[in-house]
Every structure is written in C-alpha cells, then in structure tokens.
Amino acid sequence: MLRIDDTISLEDWEITEQFVRASGPGGQNVNKVATAVELRFEAARSPSLPGPVKARLKRLAGRRWTKEGAIVIQCDETRSQSRNRDIARERLAELVRKATVVPKRRIKTKPTYGSQQRRLKAKKERGEVKSLRGRVRGDE
C-alpha cells in the first residue's frame, strides 16, 4: 500500500511494476540485470481517488496517461532495482499529491481609472515620438 496523505492511499492491486533492462552506466552488468522499473497505476479504475482528483491527475500526467486510463512512470536513474522502484513510487505519490490540491479560482479585476489614464498617456507620448521619425520635408 502506497500512502499519499491522510485520506488517500493506493492499494497494491492498483499498482503493477515491471522490471526491464536499463540503458546507461553499468558495464556488462547492464545486459544481464533488469534494473529499470516501469510502474503502472490504474488511475481511471482506482476507487481510492475522487473524480475531480482523477481529472486533475490526467491533466498533470500528460503523456504518461495511457488510453486505458493508466499512468506509466519509468525510472532507470540508478543501478539498483530497489532504489529505482522507490524513486518511481515517490514520483507517483508526488503526482497524486499535486492533483489533490484544488486550484484557486481567479477573480476578475478591473484596471483602476488611474492605471487606465497612465496607460493612455504613455501610448500618446509613444505615438508622438514615433511620428517624429517620419521623413524630414525640406523647404520646397
């Protein structure tokens, strides 16, 4: 079981881990040992997550969200299988934690009268400067 916070914890059946061969450092050992982990979390079918959290999680996961509604996290940072597994689980937990935060609603505001006047004054001054850049007419 993976504990996210006081209210959310993910059951073991929701998470599957597959170990594959990793690229990178490790010499000949890299060809023999499957140290990289591919963690798969069935987010869409998860009873642990409420609907709004799932929607935010889908948006946060981006490319890691599959058509079946699963999140796939890959980790091959270290040569240790158990360390990669811990890193992948921590990444999943962090992603779910971010999804639990409800974003603040934006309150529309109007620009103040003074700021509107300052903006218009600056525009007028800028226009006058630009108008002076025109071709100089000689006495004809």
Side-chain angles (χ1 to χ4, degrees):
M1 184 161 66
L2 183 63
R3 193 151 197 76
I4 306 299
D5 59 14
D6 297 335
T7 56
I8 298 174
S9 57
L10 308 177
E11 298 299 323
D12 289 333
W13 66 267
E14 297 176 275
I15 300 170
T16 54
E17 292 165 337
Q18 187 177 359
F19 296 100
V20 292
R21 289 189 185 142
S23 61
Q28 293 175 347
N29 195 48
V30 84
N31 301 322
K32 294 184 282 186
V33 183
T35 54
V37 67
E38 191 176 83
L39 185 137
R40 188 178 179 92
F41 169 56
E42 301 296 333
R45 296 189 302 142
S46 173
S48 313
L49 301 176
V53 174
K54 284 182 189 177
R56 287 193 293 269
L57 189 59
K58 183 176 182 178
R59 195 170 34 82
L60 285 170
R63 286 190 0 243
R64 294 175 288 194
W65 187 277
T66 65
K67 290 178 187 170
E68 298 85 42
I71 294 176
V72 178
I73 295 174
Q74 293 175 323
C75 180
D76 61 349
E77 285 181 16
T78 66
R79 293 185 192 183
S80 164
Q81 190 183 66
S82 61
R83 183 75 188 108
N84 282 338
R85 182 173 180 248
D86 293 341
I87 292 170
R89 283 175 162 256
E90 187 51 45
R91 282 184 191 165
L92 175 66
E94 189 57 38
L95 197 64
V96 175
R97 260 185 231 113
K98 280 183 185 173
T100 58
V101 176
V102 180
K104 274 173 52 174
R105 289 198 55 215
R106 186 184 176 279
I107 300 166
K108 288 183 182 177
T109 57
K110 263 180 136 176
T112 61
Y113 179 76
S115 70
Q116 286 178 354
Q117 295 305 312
R118 284 190 297 275
R119 189 181 124 261
L120 292 174
K121 183 178 175 230
K123 275 177 71 112
K124 192 173 259 334
E125 287 173 1
R126 194 82 192 122
E128 287 170 2
V129 167
K130 287 187 172 189
S131 69
L132 296 173
R133 291 187 191 156
R135 188 170 284 164
V136 178
R137 300 221 169 189
D139 294 328
E140 293 174 12

